[in-house]
Amino acid sequence: MSTPENEYIKVRKDKAEELRKEGMNPFINGISPTTTTAVIHEKYDAEDAASLEKDASKHSIAGRVMAIRSFGKAAFLQIRDRAGNLQVFVQKQRVGDEQFKLFKKLDVGDIGLFEGEMFRTKTGELTLNAATLTLVTKAYRPLPEKWHGLTDVETRYRQRYVDLIVNDDVKKTFVARSQIIQAIRSFMVERSFLEVETPMMHPIPGGAAAKPFTTHHNKLDMDLYLRIAPELYLKRLVVGGLERVFEINRNFRNEGISIQHNPEFTMLEFYQSYATFDDLMTLTEEMFSDVAKKVVGSLKVPYQNDEIDFSAPFKRYTMHDSLVEIGKVDPEVLTSRENALKYAKSLGDELKSKDEGLGAIITEIFELKVEEKLIQPTFITHYPTEVSPLSRRNDDNPEVVDRFELFIYGREIANGFSELNDPEDQAGRFKAQVDALYRGDEEAMHFDEDYINALEHGMPPTAGEGIGIDRLVMLLTDSPSIRDVILFPQLKKVNS
RNA sequence: GGGCCGCUAGCUCAGUCGGCAGAGCAACGCCCUUUUAAGGCGUGGGUCGAAGGUUCGAACCCUUCGCGGCUCACCA
């Protein structure tokens, strides 16, 4: 999407052309600023006007011109680089006629190099008194208006580069996102997890209940699926002796787009041998506390009009208890398929298929009655086996599995379980999924024979977990939409 | 996919009952050597999302389409 050539662009191109005629290149290369705005502030913020006057040392900064306040023979410029902002003073008397002529051709949005000494203005602002200035890069397009900035969300997402230039909070959010991922990576590596990369293109979609994207390899003449989860590959690695592995990367699901769903999203998935789902709940508490402390600086994180408390331990309920205690569901409802179905229908729930068992119906009731009430971090444990085809059955009750999901602000943030490593049980579960697939459940899993083959070689008892990184970033950056934490969120195509 | 709302100058937005297309910022010209959304005087800038319809006359009413937001459904 490119707005058409207009008066603004013409004026700026003409200025660039005039400079070229005078032998100047409006797109120079190889400049070397000696410092950044942040270093200057760190060094001089505490110094007063008198002490700055004694300091004649020169500094040069490069950055984008964000504002020009001009007085004819002098002007103040606001310069922004990667680290922050600094005011620059350009005075005709100081820079000379030639340089001042160049300054007159400078526009808001251009990138420049400014060299000079520091001083304080009448109003006390730390300012670089330019001795020389250089146009580094001419900007042909104007920046959005300085007061209201850029607010149109479509333009913000489609032209994220403009959004990043003018909306400082946007930059902060993506810096925080990077820090969160760095903190998680360090956390995992410190615990002897090995970072791996597994295929993005799968011959059989697996590891989650979701509709995949399909693609095609021409030379192999073979349909492939963009992965919906790396799970089955990571567990193959555990069979291979990589006892602790993790992957932070994209999953793709061909489903709806919403305030918390993007077709491609980032997951941390990890597997730890000789651990149980119980161990992973503890690990998750440690990880979230660690990341919140490092990135936000506190365990209490403001989110929208609430405050999320990441202090361990998080609350824990079995799914059954959460339904009764939080959802105020009569326990009788949960004892038979007939009762559950009747109750679910009274809530307006439409079954995905007629063959849904008690477990699936209970899970749907949970989603309707409990999920949105889980504001503070809460683990829900012991999901029905029916909805958990890759999880280990509970030793005391085979109808439920040793699994948890972590909910924060009513959203599912993490999903972990003790892995099913009995190849015969796993084959039976795949079979049930394939039956559901034939009945029309597009999200059901396929039968992965090689995965069974892997399990038949013996997978040590292992627990695994997936954490939705985008949603975690939303919580830690107080972002209301997943689109605020993905640099280039999926949008409809532009028809011109 | 359903419902609701929106799309007007580069940006942010007004536009009354259907009657000449507006403001601020930005741009351009002039003045101005300590500003913080600098200030003053002046000038230019529009496919009113697109197409069709109603009407003497449409940014405004109707239809269809496109794009976006919110929301419901689905999902993590």
Side-chain angles (χ1 to χ4, degrees), chain A residues 8 91 123 146-147 261 471 483 492:
Chain A
Y8 290 83
Q91 198 178 20
T123 54
K146 64 186 172 190
W147 190 358
H261 298 88
R471 290 184 180 177
R483 290 175 163 189
K492 289 192 197 173

PDB file of all heavy atoms in Angstrom, chain A residues 8 91 123 146-147 261 471 483 492, chain B residues 26 33 36-38 68-69 75-76:
ATOM      1  N   TYR A   8       3.492  16.859  -1.110  1.00  0.00           N
ATOM      2  CA  TYR A   8       4.498  16.687  -0.056  1.00  0.00           C
ATOM      3  C   TYR A   8       5.737  15.995  -0.573  1.00  0.00           C
ATOM      4  O   TYR A   8       6.865  16.383  -0.290  1.00  0.00           O
ATOM      5  CB  TYR A   8       3.905  15.870   1.098  1.00  0.00           C
ATOM      6  CG  TYR A   8       2.868  16.642   1.868  1.00  0.00           C
ATOM      7  CD1 TYR A   8       1.563  16.708   1.416  1.00  0.00           C
ATOM      8  CD2 TYR A   8       3.229  17.340   3.013  1.00  0.00           C
ATOM      9  CE1 TYR A   8       0.619  17.434   2.092  1.00  0.00           C
ATOM     10  CE2 TYR A   8       2.291  18.075   3.711  1.00  0.00           C
ATOM     11  CZ  TYR A   8       0.978  18.124   3.247  1.00  0.00           C
ATOM     12  OH  TYR A   8       0.060  18.858   3.922  1.00  0.00           O
ATOM     13  N   GLN A  91      22.143  27.237  14.981  1.00  0.00           N
ATOM     14  CA  GLN A  91      22.163  28.693  14.974  1.00  0.00           C
ATOM     15  C   GLN A  91      22.983  29.144  13.764  1.00  0.00           C
ATOM     16  O   GLN A  91      24.099  28.664  13.559  1.00  0.00           O
ATOM     17  CB  GLN A  91      22.837  29.156  16.266  1.00  0.00           C
ATOM     18  CG  GLN A  91      22.568  30.574  16.627  1.00  0.00           C
ATOM     19  CD  GLN A  91      23.234  30.933  17.957  1.00  0.00           C
ATOM     20  OE1 GLN A  91      24.154  30.239  18.379  1.00  0.00           O
ATOM     21  NE2 GLN A  91      22.784  31.995  18.564  1.00  0.00           N
ATOM     22  N   THR A 123      15.269  27.326  29.434  1.00  0.00           N
ATOM     23  CA  THR A 123      14.279  26.529  30.144  1.00  0.00           C
ATOM     24  C   THR A 123      14.904  25.295  30.786  1.00  0.00           C
ATOM     25  O   THR A 123      14.200  24.474  31.358  1.00  0.00           O
ATOM     26  CB  THR A 123      13.146  26.088  29.188  1.00  0.00           C
ATOM     27  OG1 THR A 123      13.746  25.428  28.069  1.00  0.00           O
ATOM     28  CG2 THR A 123      12.337  27.265  28.714  1.00  0.00           C
ATOM     29  N   LYS A 146       2.084  15.674  14.446  1.00  0.00           N
ATOM     30  CA  LYS A 146       2.848  15.546  15.686  1.00  0.00           C
ATOM     31  C   LYS A 146       1.974  15.440  16.928  1.00  0.00           C
ATOM     32  O   LYS A 146       2.381  14.857  17.922  1.00  0.00           O
ATOM     33  CB  LYS A 146       3.768  16.749  15.830  1.00  0.00           C
ATOM     34  CG  LYS A 146       3.010  18.063  15.966  1.00  0.00           C
ATOM     35  CD  LYS A 146       3.955  19.255  15.948  1.00  0.00           C
ATOM     36  CE  LYS A 146       3.151  20.543  15.893  1.00  0.00           C
ATOM     37  NZ  LYS A 146       3.991  21.711  15.650  1.00  0.00           N
ATOM     38  N   TRP A 147       0.801  15.999  16.867  1.00  0.00           N
ATOM     39  CA  TRP A 147      -0.014  16.071  18.074  1.00  0.00           C
ATOM     40  C   TRP A 147      -0.774  14.770  18.309  1.00  0.00           C
ATOM     41  O   TRP A 147      -0.607  14.093  19.314  1.00  0.00           O
ATOM     42  CB  TRP A 147      -0.985  17.252  17.941  1.00  0.00           C
ATOM     43  CG  TRP A 147      -1.722  17.608  19.195  1.00  0.00           C
ATOM     44  CD1 TRP A 147      -1.639  16.969  20.410  1.00  0.00           C
ATOM     45  CD2 TRP A 147      -2.621  18.695  19.359  1.00  0.00           C
ATOM     46  NE1 TRP A 147      -2.444  17.589  21.309  1.00  0.00           N
ATOM     47  CE2 TRP A 147      -3.064  18.659  20.699  1.00  0.00           C
ATOM     48  CE3 TRP A 147      -3.108  19.692  18.513  1.00  0.00           C
ATOM     49  CZ2 TRP A 147      -3.964  19.581  21.212  1.00  0.00           C
ATOM     50  CZ3 TRP A 147      -3.997  20.601  19.032  1.00  0.00           C
ATOM     51  CH2 TRP A 147      -4.424  20.559  20.366  1.00  0.00           C
ATOM     52  N   HIS A 261      -6.135 -14.053  18.746  1.00  0.00           N
ATOM     53  CA  HIS A 261      -5.728 -15.094  17.804  1.00  0.00           C
ATOM     54  C   HIS A 261      -5.137 -14.493  16.541  1.00  0.00           C
ATOM     55  O   HIS A 261      -5.779 -13.657  15.902  1.00  0.00           O
ATOM     56  CB  HIS A 261      -6.921 -15.955  17.389  1.00  0.00           C
ATOM     57  CG  HIS A 261      -7.556 -16.701  18.512  1.00  0.00           C
ATOM     58  ND1 HIS A 261      -8.552 -16.160  19.277  1.00  0.00           N
ATOM     59  CD2 HIS A 261      -7.318 -17.935  19.012  1.00  0.00           C
ATOM     60  CE1 HIS A 261      -8.916 -17.040  20.201  1.00  0.00           C
ATOM     61  NE2 HIS A 261      -8.182 -18.120  20.068  1.00  0.00           N
ATOM     62  N   ARG A 471       0.578 -14.153  23.993  1.00  0.00           N
ATOM     63  CA  ARG A 471      -0.351 -13.819  25.075  1.00  0.00           C
ATOM     64  C   ARG A 471       0.393 -13.433  26.347  1.00  0.00           C
ATOM     65  O   ARG A 471      -0.058 -12.560  27.094  1.00  0.00           O
ATOM     66  CB  ARG A 471      -1.277 -15.007  25.339  1.00  0.00           C
ATOM     67  CG  ARG A 471      -2.241 -15.197  24.194  1.00  0.00           C
ATOM     68  CD  ARG A 471      -3.197 -16.303  24.495  1.00  0.00           C
ATOM     69  NE  ARG A 471      -4.126 -16.468  23.389  1.00  0.00           N
ATOM     70  CZ  ARG A 471      -5.047 -17.413  23.350  1.00  0.00           C
ATOM     71  NH1 ARG A 471      -5.163 -18.267  24.355  1.00  0.00           N
ATOM     72  NH2 ARG A 471      -5.854 -17.503  22.325  1.00  0.00           N
ATOM     73  N   ARG A 483      -2.514  -8.208  18.259  1.00  0.00           N
ATOM     74  CA  ARG A 483      -1.920  -7.454  17.153  1.00  0.00           C
ATOM     75  C   ARG A 483      -0.959  -6.372  17.647  1.00  0.00           C
ATOM     76  O   ARG A 483      -0.161  -5.862  16.865  1.00  0.00           O
ATOM     77  CB  ARG A 483      -3.024  -6.801  16.328  1.00  0.00           C
ATOM     78  CG  ARG A 483      -3.802  -7.823  15.561  1.00  0.00           C
ATOM     79  CD  ARG A 483      -4.944  -7.160  14.876  1.00  0.00           C
ATOM     80  NE  ARG A 483      -5.475  -8.019  13.837  1.00  0.00           N
ATOM     81  CZ  ARG A 483      -6.375  -7.635  12.954  1.00  0.00           C
ATOM     82  NH1 ARG A 483      -6.829  -6.408  12.975  1.00  0.00           N
ATOM     83  NH2 ARG A 483      -6.817  -8.459  12.055  1.00  0.00           N
ATOM     84  N   LYS A 492      -6.372  -8.634   6.088  1.00  0.00           N
ATOM     85  CA  LYS A 492      -6.904  -8.992   4.776  1.00  0.00           C
ATOM     86  C   LYS A 492      -6.037  -8.369   3.700  1.00  0.00           C
ATOM     87  O   LYS A 492      -5.377  -7.352   3.919  1.00  0.00           O
ATOM     88  CB  LYS A 492      -8.331  -8.465   4.634  1.00  0.00           C
ATOM     89  CG  LYS A 492      -9.333  -9.213   5.483  1.00  0.00           C
ATOM     90  CD  LYS A 492     -10.748  -8.825   5.060  1.00  0.00           C
ATOM     91  CE  LYS A 492     -11.747  -9.200   6.120  1.00  0.00           C
ATOM     92  NZ  LYS A 492     -13.097  -8.696   5.810  1.00  0.00           N
TER      93      LYS A 492
ATOM     94  P     A B  26       2.643  22.675  12.384  1.00  0.00           P
ATOM     95  OP1   A B  26       3.954  22.667  13.061  1.00  0.00           O
ATOM     96  OP2   A B  26       2.058  23.945  11.922  1.00  0.00           O
ATOM     97  O5'   A B  26       2.709  21.692  11.128  1.00  0.00           O
ATOM     98  C5'   A B  26       3.386  20.440  11.213  1.00  0.00           C
ATOM     99  C4'   A B  26       3.251  19.698   9.901  1.00  0.00           C
ATOM    100  O4'   A B  26       1.853  19.440   9.619  1.00  0.00           O
ATOM    101  C3'   A B  26       3.741  20.440   8.670  1.00  0.00           C
ATOM    102  O3'   A B  26       5.150  20.371   8.515  1.00  0.00           O
ATOM    103  C2'   A B  26       2.983  19.717   7.571  1.00  0.00           C
ATOM    104  O2'   A B  26       3.544  18.447   7.301  1.00  0.00           O
ATOM    105  C1'   A B  26       1.620  19.527   8.232  1.00  0.00           C
ATOM    106  N9    A B  26       0.764  20.689   7.967  1.00  0.00           N
ATOM    107  C8    A B  26       0.441  21.714   8.812  1.00  0.00           C
ATOM    108  N7    A B  26      -0.337  22.628   8.273  1.00  0.00           N
ATOM    109  C5    A B  26      -0.534  22.174   6.987  1.00  0.00           C
ATOM    110  C6    A B  26      -1.260  22.681   5.901  1.00  0.00           C
ATOM    111  N6    A B  26      -1.961  23.822   5.946  1.00  0.00           N
ATOM    112  N1    A B  26      -1.248  21.982   4.748  1.00  0.00           N
ATOM    113  C2    A B  26      -0.551  20.848   4.693  1.00  0.00           C
ATOM    114  N3    A B  26       0.173  20.253   5.642  1.00  0.00           N
ATOM    115  C4    A B  26       0.134  20.974   6.776  1.00  0.00           C
ATOM    116  P     U B  33      15.900  36.987  14.665  1.00  0.00           P
ATOM    117  OP1   U B  33      16.805  38.146  14.771  1.00  0.00           O
ATOM    118  OP2   U B  33      15.970  36.057  13.505  1.00  0.00           O
ATOM    119  O5'   U B  33      16.054  36.112  15.992  1.00  0.00           O
ATOM    120  C5'   U B  33      15.429  34.847  16.125  1.00  0.00           C
ATOM    121  C4'   U B  33      16.205  34.031  17.129  1.00  0.00           C
ATOM    122  O4'   U B  33      17.516  33.720  16.587  1.00  0.00           O
ATOM    123  C3'   U B  33      16.448  34.729  18.455  1.00  0.00           C
ATOM    124  O3'   U B  33      16.380  33.750  19.486  1.00  0.00           O
ATOM    125  C2'   U B  33      17.869  35.254  18.332  1.00  0.00           C
ATOM    126  O2'   U B  33      18.538  35.402  19.559  1.00  0.00           O
ATOM    127  C1'   U B  33      18.509  34.127  17.512  1.00  0.00           C
ATOM    128  N1    U B  33      19.673  34.552  16.741  1.00  0.00           N
ATOM    129  C2    U B  33      20.884  33.962  17.049  1.00  0.00           C
ATOM    130  O2    U B  33      20.989  33.123  17.921  1.00  0.00           O
ATOM    131  N3    U B  33      21.947  34.402  16.305  1.00  0.00           N
ATOM    132  C4    U B  33      21.924  35.337  15.310  1.00  0.00           C
ATOM    133  O4    U B  33      22.954  35.618  14.722  1.00  0.00           O
ATOM    134  C5    U B  33      20.634  35.905  15.049  1.00  0.00           C
ATOM    135  C6    U B  33      19.581  35.508  15.762  1.00  0.00           C
ATOM    136  P     U B  36       7.416  27.303  23.824  1.00  0.00           P
ATOM    137  OP1   U B  36       6.047  27.730  23.490  1.00  0.00           O
ATOM    138  OP2   U B  36       8.026  27.671  25.127  1.00  0.00           O
ATOM    139  O5'   U B  36       7.486  25.714  23.716  1.00  0.00           O
ATOM    140  C5'   U B  36       6.924  25.034  22.591  1.00  0.00           C
ATOM    141  C4'   U B  36       7.218  23.553  22.704  1.00  0.00           C
ATOM    142  O4'   U B  36       8.649  23.378  22.886  1.00  0.00           O
ATOM    143  C3'   U B  36       6.544  22.889  23.901  1.00  0.00           C
ATOM    144  O3'   U B  36       6.083  21.600  23.521  1.00  0.00           O
ATOM    145  C2'   U B  36       7.669  22.764  24.916  1.00  0.00           C
ATOM    146  O2'   U B  36       7.513  21.682  25.788  1.00  0.00           O
ATOM    147  C1'   U B  36       8.882  22.556  24.009  1.00  0.00           C
ATOM    148  N1    U B  36      10.109  22.992  24.680  1.00  0.00           N
ATOM    149  C2    U B  36      11.122  22.064  24.865  1.00  0.00           C
ATOM    150  O2    U B  36      11.064  20.928  24.446  1.00  0.00           O
ATOM    151  N3    U B  36      12.211  22.531  25.562  1.00  0.00           N
ATOM    152  C4    U B  36      12.372  23.794  26.067  1.00  0.00           C
ATOM    153  O4    U B  36      13.401  24.068  26.672  1.00  0.00           O
ATOM    154  C5    U B  36      11.281  24.695  25.839  1.00  0.00           C
ATOM    155  C6    U B  36      10.201  24.266  25.168  1.00  0.00           C
ATOM    156  P     A B  37       4.712  21.108  24.058  1.00  0.00           P
ATOM    157  OP1   A B  37       3.915  22.195  24.687  1.00  0.00           O
ATOM    158  OP2   A B  37       5.047  19.909  24.841  1.00  0.00           O
ATOM    159  O5'   A B  37       3.966  20.629  22.749  1.00  0.00           O
ATOM    160  C5'   A B  37       4.658  19.880  21.756  1.00  0.00           C
ATOM    161  C4'   A B  37       4.125  20.261  20.401  1.00  0.00           C
ATOM    162  O4'   A B  37       2.698  20.007  20.378  1.00  0.00           O
ATOM    163  C3'   A B  37       4.306  21.733  20.065  1.00  0.00           C
ATOM    164  O3'   A B  37       4.505  21.879  18.657  1.00  0.00           O
ATOM    165  C2'   A B  37       2.960  22.351  20.432  1.00  0.00           C
ATOM    166  O2'   A B  37       2.641  23.503  19.692  1.00  0.00           O
ATOM    167  C1'   A B  37       2.014  21.207  20.072  1.00  0.00           C
ATOM    168  N9    A B  37       0.782  21.220  20.874  1.00  0.00           N
ATOM    169  C8    A B  37       0.673  21.174  22.228  1.00  0.00           C
ATOM    170  N7    A B  37      -0.559  21.203  22.660  1.00  0.00           N
ATOM    171  C5    A B  37      -1.311  21.273  21.511  1.00  0.00           C
ATOM    172  C6    A B  37      -2.686  21.340  21.291  1.00  0.00           C
ATOM    173  N6    A B  37      -3.577  21.346  22.272  1.00  0.00           N
ATOM    174  N1    A B  37      -3.110  21.421  20.010  1.00  0.00           N
ATOM    175  C2    A B  37      -2.202  21.411  19.030  1.00  0.00           C
ATOM    176  N3    A B  37      -0.879  21.352  19.114  1.00  0.00           N
ATOM    177  C4    A B  37      -0.498  21.285  20.385  1.00  0.00           C
ATOM    178  P     A B  38       5.970  22.302  18.205  1.00  0.00           P
ATOM    179  OP1   A B  38       5.939  22.447  16.747  1.00  0.00           O
ATOM    180  OP2   A B  38       6.890  21.401  18.882  1.00  0.00           O
ATOM    181  O5'   A B  38       6.171  23.755  18.876  1.00  0.00           O
ATOM    182  C5'   A B  38       5.604  24.870  18.269  1.00  0.00           C
ATOM    183  C4'   A B  38       5.645  26.030  19.233  1.00  0.00           C
ATOM    184  O4'   A B  38       7.005  26.528  19.356  1.00  0.00           O
ATOM    185  C3'   A B  38       4.872  27.258  18.763  1.00  0.00           C
ATOM    186  O3'   A B  38       3.478  27.133  18.977  1.00  0.00           O
ATOM    187  C2'   A B  38       5.513  28.340  19.620  1.00  0.00           C
ATOM    188  O2'   A B  38       5.100  28.271  20.966  1.00  0.00           O
ATOM    189  C1'   A B  38       6.985  27.932  19.529  1.00  0.00           C
ATOM    190  N9    A B  38       7.631  28.543  18.372  1.00  0.00           N
ATOM    191  C8    A B  38       8.042  27.957  17.199  1.00  0.00           C
ATOM    192  N7    A B  38       8.565  28.782  16.342  1.00  0.00           N
ATOM    193  C5    A B  38       8.493  30.012  16.971  1.00  0.00           C
ATOM    194  C6    A B  38       8.896  31.318  16.592  1.00  0.00           C
ATOM    195  N6    A B  38       9.469  31.584  15.435  1.00  0.00           N
ATOM    196  N1    A B  38       8.684  32.321  17.474  1.00  0.00           N
ATOM    197  C2    A B  38       8.119  32.041  18.650  1.00  0.00           C
ATOM    198  N3    A B  38       7.699  30.856  19.124  1.00  0.00           N
ATOM    199  C4    A B  38       7.924  29.883  18.236  1.00  0.00           C
ATOM    200  P     G B  68      -9.247  -5.849   6.065  1.00  0.00           P
ATOM    201  OP1   G B  68      -7.949  -6.505   6.301  1.00  0.00           O
ATOM    202  OP2   G B  68     -10.457  -6.664   5.915  1.00  0.00           O
ATOM    203  O5'   G B  68      -9.502  -4.798   7.224  1.00  0.00           O
ATOM    204  C5'   G B  68      -8.490  -3.890   7.576  1.00  0.00           C
ATOM    205  C4'   G B  68      -9.021  -2.838   8.511  1.00  0.00           C
ATOM    206  O4'   G B  68     -10.145  -2.151   7.894  1.00  0.00           O
ATOM    207  C3'   G B  68      -9.595  -3.342   9.819  1.00  0.00           C
ATOM    208  O3'   G B  68      -8.591  -3.690  10.741  1.00  0.00           O
ATOM    209  C2'   G B  68     -10.436  -2.145  10.250  1.00  0.00           C
ATOM    210  O2'   G B  68      -9.604  -1.109  10.721  1.00  0.00           O
ATOM    211  C1'   G B  68     -11.036  -1.708   8.901  1.00  0.00           C
ATOM    212  N9    G B  68     -12.354  -2.320   8.685  1.00  0.00           N
ATOM    213  C8    G B  68     -12.691  -3.345   7.837  1.00  0.00           C
ATOM    214  N7    G B  68     -13.966  -3.649   7.880  1.00  0.00           N
ATOM    215  C5    G B  68     -14.498  -2.770   8.820  1.00  0.00           C
ATOM    216  C6    G B  68     -15.832  -2.615   9.291  1.00  0.00           C
ATOM    217  O6    G B  68     -16.842  -3.242   8.964  1.00  0.00           O
ATOM    218  N1    G B  68     -15.919  -1.610  10.252  1.00  0.00           N
ATOM    219  C2    G B  68     -14.867  -0.849  10.687  1.00  0.00           C
ATOM    220  N2    G B  68     -15.133   0.074  11.617  1.00  0.00           N
ATOM    221  N3    G B  68     -13.619  -0.974  10.252  1.00  0.00           N
ATOM    222  C4    G B  68     -13.514  -1.947   9.323  1.00  0.00           C
ATOM    223  P     G B  69      -8.868  -4.819  11.849  1.00  0.00           P
ATOM    224  OP1   G B  69      -7.568  -5.137  12.456  1.00  0.00           O
ATOM    225  OP2   G B  69      -9.696  -5.882  11.273  1.00  0.00           O
ATOM    226  O5'   G B  69      -9.757  -4.031  12.913  1.00  0.00           O
ATOM    227  C5'   G B  69      -9.201  -2.933  13.623  1.00  0.00           C
ATOM    228  C4'   G B  69     -10.266  -2.265  14.431  1.00  0.00           C
ATOM    229  O4'   G B  69     -11.298  -1.754  13.559  1.00  0.00           O
ATOM    230  C3'   G B  69     -11.024  -3.168  15.385  1.00  0.00           C
ATOM    231  O3'   G B  69     -10.316  -3.384  16.585  1.00  0.00           O
ATOM    232  C2'   G B  69     -12.317  -2.395  15.594  1.00  0.00           C
ATOM    233  O2'   G B  69     -12.118  -1.307  16.467  1.00  0.00           O
ATOM    234  C1'   G B  69     -12.563  -1.847  14.189  1.00  0.00           C
ATOM    235  N9    G B  69     -13.407  -2.741  13.385  1.00  0.00           N
ATOM    236  C8    G B  69     -13.012  -3.587  12.373  1.00  0.00           C
ATOM    237  N7    G B  69     -14.004  -4.244  11.838  1.00  0.00           N
ATOM    238  C5    G B  69     -15.126  -3.810  12.534  1.00  0.00           C
ATOM    239  C6    G B  69     -16.489  -4.168  12.401  1.00  0.00           C
ATOM    240  O6    G B  69     -16.998  -4.958  11.610  1.00  0.00           O
ATOM    241  N1    G B  69     -17.287  -3.485  13.319  1.00  0.00           N
ATOM    242  C2    G B  69     -16.824  -2.576  14.243  1.00  0.00           C
ATOM    243  N2    G B  69     -17.736  -2.033  15.048  1.00  0.00           N
ATOM    244  N3    G B  69     -15.561  -2.232  14.378  1.00  0.00           N
ATOM    245  C4    G B  69     -14.768  -2.880  13.497  1.00  0.00           C
ATOM    246  P     C B  75     -13.481 -24.741  19.533  1.00  0.00           P
ATOM    247  OP1   C B  75     -13.279 -26.200  19.470  1.00  0.00           O
ATOM    248  OP2   C B  75     -14.158 -24.137  20.673  1.00  0.00           O
ATOM    249  O5'   C B  75     -12.060 -24.044  19.376  1.00  0.00           O
ATOM    250  C5'   C B  75     -11.021 -24.661  18.637  1.00  0.00           C
ATOM    251  C4'   C B  75      -9.926 -23.676  18.348  1.00  0.00           C
ATOM    252  O4'   C B  75     -10.507 -22.369  18.092  1.00  0.00           O
ATOM    253  C3'   C B  75      -8.940 -23.407  19.488  1.00  0.00           C
ATOM    254  O3'   C B  75      -7.940 -24.404  19.555  1.00  0.00           O
ATOM    255  C2'   C B  75      -8.379 -22.052  19.080  1.00  0.00           C
ATOM    256  O2'   C B  75      -7.438 -22.181  18.046  1.00  0.00           O
ATOM    257  C1'   C B  75      -9.624 -21.350  18.529  1.00  0.00           C
ATOM    258  N1    C B  75     -10.292 -20.525  19.551  1.00  0.00           N
ATOM    259  C2    C B  75      -9.736 -19.280  19.856  1.00  0.00           C
ATOM    260  O2    C B  75      -8.712 -18.917  19.275  1.00  0.00           O
ATOM    261  N3    C B  75     -10.337 -18.507  20.783  1.00  0.00           N
ATOM    262  C4    C B  75     -11.446 -18.919  21.394  1.00  0.00           C
ATOM    263  N4    C B  75     -11.999 -18.120  22.301  1.00  0.00           N
ATOM    264  C5    C B  75     -12.032 -20.190  21.110  1.00  0.00           C
ATOM    265  C6    C B  75     -11.427 -20.955  20.194  1.00  0.00           C
ATOM    266  P     A B  76      -7.351 -24.838  20.990  1.00  0.00           P
ATOM    267  OP1   A B  76      -6.836 -26.196  20.793  1.00  0.00           O
ATOM    268  OP2   A B  76      -8.395 -24.590  22.007  1.00  0.00           O
ATOM    269  O5'   A B  76      -6.131 -23.877  21.328  1.00  0.00           O
ATOM    270  C5'   A B  76      -5.195 -24.274  22.314  1.00  0.00           C
ATOM    271  C4'   A B  76      -4.470 -23.076  22.870  1.00  0.00           C
ATOM    272  O4'   A B  76      -3.794 -22.377  21.812  1.00  0.00           O
ATOM    273  C3'   A B  76      -5.383 -22.047  23.540  1.00  0.00           C
ATOM    274  O3'   A B  76      -4.718 -21.426  24.616  1.00  0.00           O
ATOM    275  C2'   A B  76      -5.603 -21.032  22.437  1.00  0.00           C
ATOM    276  O2'   A B  76      -5.932 -19.769  22.901  1.00  0.00           O
ATOM    277  C1'   A B  76      -4.247 -21.046  21.747  1.00  0.00           C
ATOM    278  N9    A B  76      -4.347 -20.656  20.345  1.00  0.00           N
ATOM    279  C8    A B  76      -5.046 -21.286  19.355  1.00  0.00           C
ATOM    280  N7    A B  76      -4.948 -20.712  18.190  1.00  0.00           N
ATOM    281  C5    A B  76      -4.130 -19.626  18.426  1.00  0.00           C
ATOM    282  C6    A B  76      -3.655 -18.612  17.582  1.00  0.00           C
ATOM    283  N6    A B  76      -3.938 -18.550  16.290  1.00  0.00           N
ATOM    284  N1    A B  76      -2.860 -17.674  18.120  1.00  0.00           N
ATOM    285  C2    A B  76      -2.579 -17.756  19.413  1.00  0.00           C
ATOM    286  N3    A B  76      -2.967 -18.660  20.309  1.00  0.00           N
ATOM    287  C4    A B  76      -3.753 -19.586  19.753  1.00  0.00           C
TER     288        A B  76
END
